[in-house]
Amino acid sequence: MADAEDTHSALEPRRACQECNRKKTKCDMRRPVCGLCLRTGNTCSFPSKRKKPVLRKPHLKVQSRKISDSLSRLVQVLETASRAGEETDVSNGTREIPQSLLKDSLKGLLAEIRTSDTQANSSSGPATEQDEGQPSESTGENVEDEDEDVDGDGLEFPHIRGPDRESLTANNTVHSEASDLDNGISCSVAIDLVNSFFEKVQPWLPILHRPRFQARYESKLLVAGDVMKGLSADECLLFYGIFALSARFSSHPRFSNIPPNKRGQDFAERAKDVYTQGRTLKTPSLMYLQGCILLAFYFYTSGPTHQGWLLIGVCVRMAYDLGLFEIDEDDWTPASPVDHVEKEELRRAWWLVWELDTFASTVSRKPYAIDRKRMSVTLPISDEAWFSEVDVPSAELNLQPGQSWRSLHGSANQDERAWFLVANSFMATLHDRLQQKQDVSPDEKLTLENEVCCFKLALPPSLRLDIDTLTFTPSSFARCNWVIGTHLMLMATSFMVAGIVTGESDDNSISGLSASGISPLRQRAIDLSRIISLWDTRYIVVAHPFLACMMLPPYAVDSSVYRTQSLISSTHDLAKLVLEHFAERWKLGSVVSEIAKMMEQGGPRNPEEKQLVKRYAVFFRIPRLSGNSPAFLQPDYGQLDRNGSTTGEETLYAGQTEPQQRQVQPLQGFATSIGLPGQTNLSNYQAPMFDSQTFPPLHANAYESSNEVDLGFSEFFGSYQDTDLCWLK
């Protein structure tokens, strides 16, 4: 009998009794009454069977994070609605939140929850069903109450009952962007896109005063149905521009099935109608100009087109008509009184138009539309000071030769973007100078070299290029990206200055005095490697997309350099990886990546490549200079003379163990980088950097309009006519 009881107790599953389980105490599991229940006099009962616990899988953590993000967005929307409700007085003293806002937000939340549940069920499959009802063994310690069962399908929303709740759960599917636009833009989508704009786009495109903008449009966005119906034409153009740029960063379920760099295309197409309506306006407003600015940035971050080029011209003319070019003149009188916050908004609109004109004209090697010598606009202050409505004195650009660094030196305004604009102006001024036919004298080159050095020395501590300054965080990444951009501009400027070879024998510049100095292309590779090494890759996609073009050297480079020079080749690979980060969100990154491949391959161009050559001529052409002016300095090996023959040391081949030493014999009284006719055997001869004889000319039909291909925005503004700009007259 005792043996039978021992055998029976051995077969009993070892689980804690229900009383010990409820008290979360250790149970000795003695039958029929455990020790604790025997001492306390409680009824002791053991469970007969237990559900097998569901094993947690790694993907469930990801789904939990997604649901948590959805809840966070829902809370943010509800807080916004609550703040808007404070402005509305209700008779019973309560605040009403629009039902459309709740429905839109809950639809998105339920859609993500259902998607997560579907993925969980599909991943578990029959195994989960097979395990149901089967007991599982466990110890008596740390066992959860068996009556507690949480099911994702059991989420309840007490304030939504009956047909409303059924309609929400039945319609929580994600549609395509096009079909959604036909139904209008809902409140939740609009709020998500506006927040994404201020978090990811405004840091590099600082155009709007966020506190005043949100205070003005909070109530207008918290409406039922399409939020765009209650907006004017100017407001619609502004919001469509915001949506077109910020949609690539949105995490709203509406865009889950659309690639990030294509999410804004339909919003941009909607802006076409608004732009057409605006042509009838006799006096375009600042808001309309801001909408055109955003749309122009969308075009040029998606790959420059003819329509984008024309739109920049429209922005320039509107800015002039609004008098933005002389906003800081002593006798400037606005049409209506403005405070210092509104005046700063006018300045920022001007500088963004200036930036568009500078970028578009530089990459295409065309004249600038803005006369830089006839503008009186101080540089913008920081967003922090602007949003806090603190008036910070600033300064204008100093356009005197060799004096650009004085623009902000000693000024109260030391904003990183302001310094970036000064560096951008310095680079653009030099680029424009190299397009002129007049020679660069030795004194002028030395002045440019001194200006580069002074610029670097005048930078404040916050713009130093070191690991202590560049601490990337969610709150500081915008400032750090402007520091990176400033040094990329200075790198390009130094490269162009160092490549200048003067035609006179009294060249006292740095490159003229140094017979064994490093070539400009190799120095650029060293500088670019250092800059990229300090750039946090997590924040490349939220940097200014135009910085993608700084990854390639301005002006044509022989394709053989990328195959024969290891340092330049490795830096080029590093730059291409940076372009891949840009391409994740911006089509411009993909376009520049394609240009990088074309520069490596060389050879004849197909029609698509010919259009890229036209739109990005800065990477394929040389400056318009006379024969004894700036020249491309080949790297250390395989240098070419003016006739294309090889001079100096031959390129090292893979099996060579010891390179031969170069015999350098500089001539007395002459810079070694000057091209000397008939002296092709000089071992220290360096071929012209920008000499037209160094590189083969482009094909005769490279610039024909028939070679243009559509990059996805053809006829965006309709067929262009000479009368298209008549509405500005």
Side-chain angles (χ1 to χ4, degrees):
M1 185 66 178
D3 294 340
E5 291 181 356
D6 294 340
T7 303
H8 178 73
S9 62
L11 297 176
E12 286 288 341
R14 296 182 59 81
R15 284 192 293 272
C17 70
Q18 294 181 355
E19 186 66 18
C20 291
N21 191 18
R22 184 181 66 83
K23 294 181 178 180
K24 305 300 181 184
T25 58
K26 186 173 181 180
C27 181
D28 58 12
M29 291 171 285
R30 296 170 63 180
R31 305 299 179 100
V33 181
C34 71
L36 180 60
C37 293
L38 182 62
R39 292 194 302 271
T40 59
N42 293 326
T43 301
C44 187
S45 60
F46 292 87
S48 58
K49 71 176 183 178
R50 178 180 177 83
K51 289 183 179 180
K52 182 177 181 179
V54 180
L55 297 178
R56 296 182 181 272
K57 297 184 178 180
H59 70 273
L60 294 179
K61 296 181 180 179
V62 178
Q63 296 166 6
S64 298
R65 277 198 301 270
K66 291 181 179 178
I67 295 175
S68 176
D69 293 340
S70 300
L71 289 172
S72 299
R73 289 200 306 272
L74 177 60
V75 171
Q76 184 179 18
V77 171
L78 293 178
E79 289 178 352
T80 304
S82 178
R83 289 195 300 270
E86 294 177 357
E87 302 176 359
T88 305
D89 294 329
V90 185
S91 58
N92 58 2
T94 60
R95 295 196 300 264
E96 292 183 352
I97 299 177
Q99 293 297 322
S100 61
L101 171 61
L102 294 176
K103 288 183 179 181
D104 291 335
S105 302
L106 292 175
K107 281 182 181 180
L109 175 62
L110 290 175
E112 291 195 9
I113 294 175
R114 182 171 292 275
T115 302
S116 300
D117 291 341
T118 303
Q119 294 175 353
N121 292 335
S122 61
S123 61
S124 59
T128 303
E129 300 177 358
Q130 182 179 0
D131 292 339
E132 287 185 358
Q134 294 183 1
S136 62
E137 297 186 7
S138 63
T139 62
E141 302 180 16
N142 301 326
V143 180
E144 298 293 336
D145 192 350
E146 62 184 4
D147 295 333
E148 298 177 2
D149 186 14
V150 179
D151 190 354
D153 295 332
L155 289 174
E156 294 288 341
F157 297 89
H159 57 284
I160 303 178
R161 301 185 183 277
D164 290 337
R165 187 174 191 275
E166 293 177 1
S167 63
L168 283 178
T169 56
N171 297 322
N172 55 19
T173 56
V174 179
H175 302 283
S176 66
E177 184 180 3
S179 62
D180 282 345
L181 276 183
D182 293 337
N183 299 327
I185 300 175
S186 65
C187 171
S188 62
V189 173
I191 291 178
D192 180 79
L193 292 177
V194 169
N195 289 335
S196 297
F197 176 84
F198 282 112
E199 294 169 1
K200 302 296 177 60
V201 180
Q202 171 85 9
W204 62 265
L205 205 163
I207 189 173
L208 299 172
H209 188 275
R210 183 173 188 175
R212 293 193 178 187
F213 180 87
Q214 291 181 332
R216 180 177 181 179
Y217 289 104
E218 251 184 9
S219 59
K220 292 186 178 182
L221 296 180
L222 297 174
V223 296
D226 186 5
V227 299
M228 307 300 290
K229 289 183 178 179
L231 303 179
S232 64
D234 292 357
E235 292 172 328
C236 286
L237 181 59
L238 177 64
F239 273 95
Y240 279 131
I242 290 174
F243 298 160
L245 289 169
S246 63
R248 69 199 70 235
F249 296 108
S250 174
S251 56
H252 196 280
R254 171 177 178 169
F255 306 105
S256 59
N257 296 326
I258 306 174
N261 57 5
K262 295 183 179 180
R263 292 175 182 174
Q265 185 170 349
D266 287 335
F267 293 115
E269 292 293 340
R270 287 301 179 97
K272 172 184 177 180
D273 298 334
V274 183
Y275 173 82
T276 304
Q277 295 173 11
R279 294 184 180 185
T280 61
L281 298 175
K282 295 182 179 180
T283 56
S285 64
L286 172 64
M287 184 175 295
Y288 189 82
L289 172 60
Q290 290 173 331
C292 290
I293 290 172
L294 294 176
L295 196 56
F297 269 103
Y298 176 81
F299 270 113
Y300 268 83
T301 55
S302 303
T305 62
H306 184 62
Q307 290 78 14
W309 173 259
L310 295 178
L311 182 56
I312 292 177
V314 173
C315 292
V316 171
R317 295 305 177 191
M318 276 196 290
Y320 274 118
D321 284 346
L322 292 172
L324 303 186
F325 70 103
E326 55 183 4
I327 189 174
D328 286 303
E329 287 281 4
D330 295 335
D331 57 350
W332 180 76
T333 303
S336 58
V338 295
D339 58 17
H340 68 89
V341 175
E342 295 169 334
K343 192 172 183 179
E344 176 68 16
E345 188 171 14
L346 295 173
R347 291 192 190 100
R348 288 173 177 242
W350 171 262
W351 282 113
L352 289 171
V353 174
W354 180 93
E355 194 175 346
L356 283 168
D357 177 52
T358 299
F359 175 78
S361 300
T362 299
V363 297
S364 60
R365 296 182 71 252
K366 296 178 180 178
Y368 300 115
I370 293 178
D371 188 349
R372 285 153 169 74
K373 297 181 180 180
R374 295 183 57 188
M375 52 180 276
S376 178
V377 187
T378 59
L379 292 158
I381 62 177
S382 66
D383 275 0
E384 292 78 11
W386 190 36
F387 292 167
S388 302
E389 302 191 1
V390 177
D391 191 9
V392 178
S394 188
E396 299 180 18
L397 280 178
N398 190 326
L399 301 178
Q400 296 297 321
Q403 302 297 312
S404 64
W405 58 274
R406 292 187 182 273
S407 299
L408 290 173
H409 186 62
S411 172
N413 180 18
Q414 295 294 309
D415 179 54
E416 290 79 10
R417 179 174 181 258
W419 275 101
F420 170 81
L421 292 175
V422 177
N424 195 351
S425 175
F426 181 22
M427 185 275 297
T429 302
L430 175 60
H431 171 81
D432 184 65
R433 173 65 183 89
L434 295 181
Q435 309 310 311
Q436 302 171 13
K437 294 183 178 181
Q438 294 84 359
D439 286 344
V440 177
S441 65
D443 288 347
E444 184 179 1
K445 179 183 178 181
L446 183 57
T447 301
L448 290 171
E449 291 176 340
N450 289 339
E451 187 172 4
V452 172
C453 295
C454 289
F455 203 115
K456 294 178 180 179
L457 292 173
L459 288 175
S462 60
L463 276 94
R464 291 173 182 169
L465 192 64
D466 55 56
I467 193 171
D468 295 329
T469 302
L470 295 176
T471 304
F472 285 84
T473 64
S475 60
S476 66
F477 73 87
R479 182 190 64 79
C480 294
N481 280 336
W482 287 125
V483 176
I484 293 290
T486 301
H487 285 275
L488 287 174
M489 288 291 177
L490 293 177
M491 176 198 69
T493 306
S494 300
F495 172 72
M496 290 188 287
V497 172
I500 298 176
V501 177
T502 60
E504 300 181 17
S505 59
D506 58 344
D507 185 3
N508 295 319
S509 63
I510 298 174
S511 58
L513 293 174
S514 177
S516 59
I518 191 170
S519 71
L521 198 59
R522 291 177 64 84
Q523 184 61 52
R524 178 191 174 276
I526 295 173
D527 294 340
L528 182 60
S529 299
R530 180 168 179 254
I531 294 173
I532 294 178
S533 66
L534 296 173
W535 202 350
D536 193 325
T537 57
R538 297 173 299 172
Y539 298 99
I540 292 178
V541 294
V542 290
H544 201 312
F546 290 174
L547 296 182
C549 292
M550 305 302 295
M551 296 297 105
L552 302 181
Y555 305 127
V557 175
D558 193 338
S559 60
S560 63
V561 172
Y562 298 106
R563 297 187 296 269
T564 59
Q565 301 299 315
S566 59
L567 173 61
I568 298 174
S569 177
S570 62
T571 305
H572 190 66
D573 291 337
L574 189 62
K576 289 191 295 183
L577 292 175
V578 173
L579 293 175
E580 289 182 5
H581 283 271
F582 277 111
E584 293 176 4
R585 303 287 177 174
W586 305 101
K587 186 179 177 181
L588 180 62
S590 302
V591 174
V592 181
S593 295
E594 186 63 28
I595 294 175
K597 296 178 183 177
M598 294 168 55
M599 296 173 66
E600 295 176 10
Q601 297 170 357
R605 313 292 186 194
N606 58 39
E608 291 80 6
E609 292 175 340
K610 289 178 181 178
Q611 183 180 3
L612 288 179
V613 170
K614 178 180 179 180
R615 298 298 182 194
Y616 297 89
V618 68
F619 301 121
F620 299 98
R621 299 290 301 278
I622 55 179
R624 187 178 301 157
L625 299 153
S626 59
N628 62 351
S629 290
F632 172 67
L633 200 58
Q634 288 281 359
D636 296 336
Y637 299 101
Q639 308 200 25
L640 303 177
D641 64 9
R642 293 179 182 271
N643 298 322
S645 60
T646 303
T647 61
E649 184 80 9
E650 293 293 331
T651 303
L652 294 177
Y653 60 93
Q656 188 170 344
T657 57
E658 292 187 5
Q660 299 179 0
Q661 298 295 325
R662 178 181 303 181
Q663 301 296 327
V664 180
Q665 298 178 355
L667 297 177
Q668 297 295 331
F670 291 91
T672 59
S673 57
I674 299 176
L676 300 177
Q679 299 293 334
T680 57
N681 293 326
L682 290 177
S683 59
N684 62 334
Y685 175 74
Q686 295 177 329
M689 179 176 181
F690 302 136
D691 193 346
S692 59
Q693 299 181 19
T694 305
F695 301 97
L698 294 173
H699 297 285
N701 61 346
Y703 289 89
E704 292 183 1
S705 59
S706 59
N707 290 328
E708 294 190 6
V709 295
D710 185 14
L711 293 181
F713 301 96
S714 60
E715 300 182 355
F716 185 87
F717 296 101
S719 300
Y720 177 72
Q721 303 293 336
D722 293 338
T723 58
D724 279 1
L725 302 180
C726 63
W727 60 279
L728 289 175
K729 298 179 180 178

